[in-house]
Amino acid sequence: MKIVGLTGGIGSGKSTVVRIFGDLGVHWVDADDVAREVVEPGTAGLAAIAEHFGRDILQADGALDRAALRQRVFENPEERNWLECLLHPVIREELVRQLKSPEVPNSQPYALLVSPLLLETDQHELVDRVVVVDVPEHIQIERTMARDDNSRVQVERIMAAQMARDERRSRADAVIDNNRPLQDVERQVCELHNRFLFEFR
Ligand code: ATP
């Protein structure tokens, strides 16, 4: 079973594109979902975070107070480092487990790992190919603002912390141009799927 990594900046269209692959019967795992799952109540991850930062980092219902955690690591790079050292290996292990054990048997020769930080973290070591979902920066900003009701400044701050568009594109085995009508994006996904079926046969 091969693993194809799908990445792109905020609002580039990763979720949109992966749904199209899903409709073709390709199993996929979203690293953002897994990152949330490993700190759900009852996990070793959440217990370690509560021990390190104190119980103030939890909400009244025992779930992680994400805003409080974001604030703590935003203010302090050492704390950010501590958190990344704790979570990155756990996330990676869970990603591998979910990629290998789809709920519905995967009849395709590959599965997709969707991750905004595929190239920024060691997650890229898990994949055989890198697909980048690409749109110009102004489209990223427009679409994210419309989707999340975020301000331009908020979106630009997140983009500044992510890899630059040119560097991401230079590391791609394939680029999906998502500055196109959805029908055209579907065509690009079908072509890429056929290419992978050929390459992984
Ligand atoms: P994030 O990294 O923030 O999770 P994402 O890369 O998964 O974002 P999507 O949520 O798929 O991005 O897309 C961002 C927004 O742009 C969504 O509201 C989506 O409906 C819209 N969108 C995606 N692709 C297109 C397209 N080809 N044409 C028009 N709108 C699109």
Side-chain angles (χ1 to χ4, degrees), residues 65-98:
D65 185 340
R66 291 175 176 284
L69 183 64
R70 249 196 314 274
Q71 189 64 31
R72 293 287 289 270
V73 301
F74 184 70
E75 285 167 354
N76 188 334
E78 268 175 40
E79 296 289 34
R80 173 189 286 269
N81 197 26
W82 180 88
L83 188 67
E84 286 178 356
C85 286
L86 171 78
L87 292 182
H88 281 181
V90 183
I91 292 170
R92 185 184 160 116
E93 197 180 314
E94 181 60 16
L95 283 174
V96 172
R97 194 191 67 74
Q98 292 194 16

Side-chain angles (χ1 to χ4, degrees), residues 9-16 143 147 178 180 182 185:
I10 182 170
S12 57
K14 297 176 293 295
S15 309
T16 306
R143 287 184 183 164
R147 185 194 58 189
N178 192 29
R180 310 280 311 163
L182 275 180
V185 179

Side-chain angles (χ1 to χ4, degrees), residues 31-47 49 64 66 86-95 98:
D32 275 348
D33 293 342
V34 169
R36 272 188 287 275
E37 287 165 22
V38 299
V39 291
E40 274 172 3
T43 58
L46 186 56
I49 289 170
L64 181 61
R66 291 175 176 284
L86 171 78
L87 292 182
H88 281 181
V90 183
I91 292 170
R92 185 184 160 116
E93 197 180 314
E94 181 60 16
L95 283 174
Q98 292 194 16

